[in-house]
Each structure stands twice: as C-alpha cells, then as structure tokens.
Amino acid sequence: MARRKLAIVNEKIAETIIRVCGWISSLTILLMVVFLFKEGAGLFSSKQVEDGYVLAVNKSNKVDHLGVENIKDIFDMEITNWKEVGGEDMDIIVFRFTDITNYVSAEQLGADFENLPQCIDSVLAANAGMIAFFPETYMPENFSGKRIDGDNITLSSFFAGTEWFPTATPAPIFGILPLFLATILVSLAAIIMAVPLALSVAIYMAELASPKVRKILKPTIELLAGIPSVVYGFFGLVVFVPMVQKAFDLPVGETALAGAIILAIMALPTIITVSEDAMRSVPRSMKEASLALGATHWQTIWKVIMPYASSGIIAAIVMGVGRAIGETMAVLMVTGNSAVIPDSLLTPVRTIPATIAAELGEAPVGGAHYQALFMLGCILFVITLLISLAANKIQSKKK
C-alpha cells in the first residue's frame, strides 16, 4: 500500500514537472513572438529622415515636402533642379555636414568648433537653392532655415517598395518587394526541382528496395538533414556556382538558380522521409486487393498507393517549402546578395532570411534599420506559420 502511494506521488510530481515545462515553453515562445512584432511595428512610427539628423532648405524655398525617393535622387545628383520636385527653376546645392569647410574658414568655426551651428545657419541662409543635411546637435536655437522631416515610413512604402537601401543617407529606403519576390522565386524553383526526385526515391524505398537496401538508405537520407547549412553553402559555392556560371556564360555564378539547387538538395531529406512513411502506412490489404484484381505493381503504386498517401505526400511537400523559405546561410552564400527585383533565375538576388542574417549585426539597436529587419522577421514568421498550419491540416486529413 505504501509503495502504491509513493508511486502515485511520483506520478503527480512528474505530471506537475511536465506541465510546468510545457507552460514555460509555451510562454517563452509567445513572448518571443510578441517581442518580434513589437520591435517590427515600431518601424511605422519612424521618420523617413535618419534619426538624429536634420534635413533643411532655405526659408524662401517653396518646397515643403520631399518623398524618400526624391531625397535619394537629390543626394545622388539625379535630380538637380528644384523645379523637378515642385519648386522654382533653381539649381539644387547639396550640403553635407563635411562640406562646411568649403564655405567657411577655420577661424570662423572657432578653435573648438563652437561657432559651427551659426556657420551652418549662415551658409544655408546665403544659398537659396541649398538643401542641408547635418546632425541635429548642431542645429542653432534660432534656426533661419526650413526643416523638412518627411513623413513616417508607411505600410505601402514598405510592402510595395521596389528598392532596399537601408543605409542610404539622409533617408534610408525600405522596400521589401525585391526580397519577397526573390524568396518566393528561389523557394518555388527549389521545390519544383526537389519534388520529382524526392518522390522517386520515396517510391523506391517504400515499394521497390529490398529491406537490406532500405536499412542503408533510410538513415543515410535522414543524416543529410543534420548537415549544417553552412556546409551546403560551401559545397554550392565551390561546385554549383562555377557550374551555373560556365553553363549559362554569366559574369557571376551567384544567382537564384544556384540558391534553388542548394535548397532543393536541402529539402530532399524532409520530403523523402515524410513521403516514404506515408506510402508505407498504406494498408497491406489495399495493395493485395489491387494485385488480386489484375493490376501490375506499377499500376498499384500509381493508382492505389499514391492516392491513398496523397495527404502525407502533400504535407511533405509543404514542409519542404517551409524548409526552403526559412533557409539562411546556404542561400546567403550562393545567391549573390543583390537586393533587386529578379527577372529570371539567372539574376543575383537576396532573400528575406539572408537579409536578416547579413544586416542585423550592423543595424543600430532601436533604429529604423533595426526595426525593418524585425519586420522582415515578422513576415517570415507569418509565412512559415501559414505553411506549418497548411501541413498540419493536410496531414491530419483522412481519406
């Protein structure tokens, strides 16, 4: 009796520990998701002009507002007249903080640069066509110019923007369309390449291979899933990138095609394993009934086994898509890291995970660039969540 009571107490303790661990794990994941979206949502309350800096024009200038693309074009000297942005017919003079010595002498600045704010103010006042960009700490109290802060970063400019220049000054540009399209293109091409090969291997292992061969192939394929992605990246950089460059006579081989090939290889173990398990779960009576009716082995595979295991096969494909979309290092190493809208698989691209990995370490904490990368993480989280939900839904479906 005492032993039974002790066993019941131990079971209660074990049950409590498991329940607490489950709650802690769930709460940790929930807090991570909340933190991710909290950091990312701050992007849309940020100004277009870089934080801590001032963008100003002469007080007589009629221009009161500049879009982020206009600011970039002005400072890149692609727009050279105020008439092009709604102002008077007057040449634009771009003034950066480091240009101050071109307008005033060292004596005027002072020994400790104590006159710097007044010098910036006087230079801007003396040049009607000037646009100045300087740190906010050097803005004088009685500023005679007109400050242009720009609008907040909007949802449309972020989600529909076609340029990604997070380090552009004075106004960084966060348009994720090139990154999103590159992610979809590379992942879709990888799945198109991986699915036929993966299903062929799964059919062979489930229905054609001998038990001895299957015992060798099964752990070997599952071992591929444990290889670090950076190893796949090195392999792709050494093998597939030169092959793509030579085959298509390209200047560089780091393209979306090279990334798709690597992702296809990385998705194979997941698709093969899940598909093979689904095919082997088909009841033996179904196969025997098909053969008894006169169907050949291949007809049984195609007409009975594949349809019966279709939910598991589709789930395997969806899980492979999730693996491809979320991959970081391997894609970063072989796709060229070019944030442009892809027009083919032979174009260098940059995916969302690769962008986060490449830029997060250099983004100032709390700045617009930092928040934009967290928003990319939110988008990636939503995509992978939808894929996981779709996989679970399909896998739980019963014929």
Side-chain angles (χ1 to χ4, degrees):
M1 190 71 178
R3 188 175 295 177
R4 179 171 176 77
K5 287 182 178 180
L6 181 61
I8 293 174
V9 170
N10 289 336
E11 287 179 4
K12 290 290 184 182
I13 293 173
E15 183 180 338
T16 302
I17 292 173
I18 293 172
R19 184 180 289 111
V20 169
C21 290
W23 276 104
I24 291 174
S25 300
S26 302
L27 184 61
T28 302
I29 294 171
L30 180 62
L31 290 176
M32 288 173 62
V33 173
V34 170
F35 174 75
L36 179 68
F37 279 88
K38 178 179 174 293
E39 291 293 321
L43 174 68
F44 303 110
S45 60
S46 301
K47 293 289 185 182
Q48 291 176 338
V49 178
E50 191 175 348
D51 190 33
Y53 287 83
V54 174
L55 186 66
V57 296
N58 188 282
K59 198 170 186 177
S60 63
N61 198 323
K62 292 183 178 180
V63 175
D64 296 316
H65 176 269
L66 288 172
V68 64
E69 292 83 5
N70 290 336
I71 295 173
K72 175 181 176 293
D73 291 341
I74 287 173
F75 279 79
D76 287 345
M77 301 299 180
E78 294 180 10
I79 294 178
T80 58
N81 195 292
W82 285 109
K83 190 175 182 180
E84 298 178 58
V85 290
E88 297 180 355
D89 187 6
M90 179 170 50
D91 290 337
I92 296 176
I93 303 171
V94 174
F95 174 85
R96 293 181 174 86
F97 180 63
T98 54
D99 298 332
I100 188 64
T101 54
N102 298 333
Y103 294 90
V104 297
S105 64
E107 290 78 12
Q108 290 175 296
L109 290 173
D112 297 322
F113 301 100
E114 64 273 9
N115 299 325
L116 186 54
Q118 290 73 26
C119 290
I120 293 175
D121 189 60
S122 62
V123 169
L124 186 61
N127 294 273
M130 179 172 284
I131 180 169
F133 176 62
F134 56 90
E136 193 169 11
T137 54
Y138 294 110
M139 185 174 180
E141 293 183 4
N142 299 317
F143 185 53
S144 62
K146 182 168 58 175
R147 182 169 178 169
I148 298 179
D149 288 327
D151 298 329
N152 287 353
I153 297 172
T154 61
L155 285 169
S156 59
S157 66
F158 182 75
F159 287 101
T162 58
E163 294 181 304
W164 178 266
F165 290 107
T167 56
T169 55
I173 299 177
F174 304 105
I176 69 160
L177 200 56
L179 310 179
F180 179 77
L181 293 178
T183 302
I184 298 301
L185 175 66
V186 173
S187 301
L188 187 61
I191 293 304
I192 290 173
M193 287 187 275
V195 167
L197 180 59
L199 291 183
S200 300
V201 175
I203 291 171
Y204 173 76
M205 289 176 58
E207 296 297 324
L208 304 176
S210 64
K212 187 179 292 185
V213 172
R214 185 179 178 276
K215 285 181 181 179
I216 297 173
L217 280 179
K218 182 78 171 175
T220 302
I221 291 173
E222 290 177 349
L223 184 64
L224 291 175
I227 297 176
S229 61
V230 68
V231 175
Y232 282 107
F234 274 120
F235 180 74
L237 200 59
V238 173
V239 177
F240 290 114
V241 167
M243 286 175 57
V244 170
Q245 182 178 7
K246 186 176 180 180
F248 296 96
D249 193 24
L250 300 172
V252 292
E254 290 89 350
T255 58
L257 179 60
I261 294 172
I262 289 298
L263 286 184
I265 296 173
M266 296 180 70
L268 282 175
T270 301
I271 301 175
I272 291 173
T273 302
V274 178
S275 297
E276 192 256 350
D277 289 341
M279 293 178 192
R280 288 181 65 84
S281 68
V282 176
R284 186 178 181 83
S285 58
M286 298 287 293
K287 305 175 190 177
E288 292 176 347
S290 175
L291 295 171
L293 290 172
T296 64
H297 193 183
W298 281 107
Q299 287 174 327
T300 300
I301 292 172
W302 184 250
K303 297 290 186 179
V304 177
I305 295 174
M306 294 288 285
Y308 194 94
S310 60
S311 62
I313 294 171
I314 294 172
I317 295 171
V318 174
M319 291 169 69
V321 173
R323 173 70 192 272
I325 287 179
E327 182 50 48
T328 303
M329 284 307 302
V331 180
L332 179 64
M333 296 172 71
V334 301
T335 53
N337 271 334
S338 181
V340 296
I341 294 179
D343 53 12
S344 73
L345 281 171
L346 303 179
T347 305
V349 296
R350 176 186 280 188
T351 62
I352 290 176
T355 301
I356 296 172
E359 298 181 6
L360 188 58
E362 301 176 358
V365 176
H369 187 192
Y370 178 85
Q371 293 168 338
L373 294 176
F374 268 89
M375 183 52 65
L376 288 181
C378 295
I379 294 169
L380 199 63
F381 171 79
V382 171
I383 293 173
T384 52
L385 177 63
L386 293 175
I387 291 173
S388 298
L389 292 175
N392 291 334
K393 180 70 175 176
I394 293 170
Q395 203 167 22
S396 63
K397 224 174 163 186
K398 300 295 183 182
K399 294 291 286 183

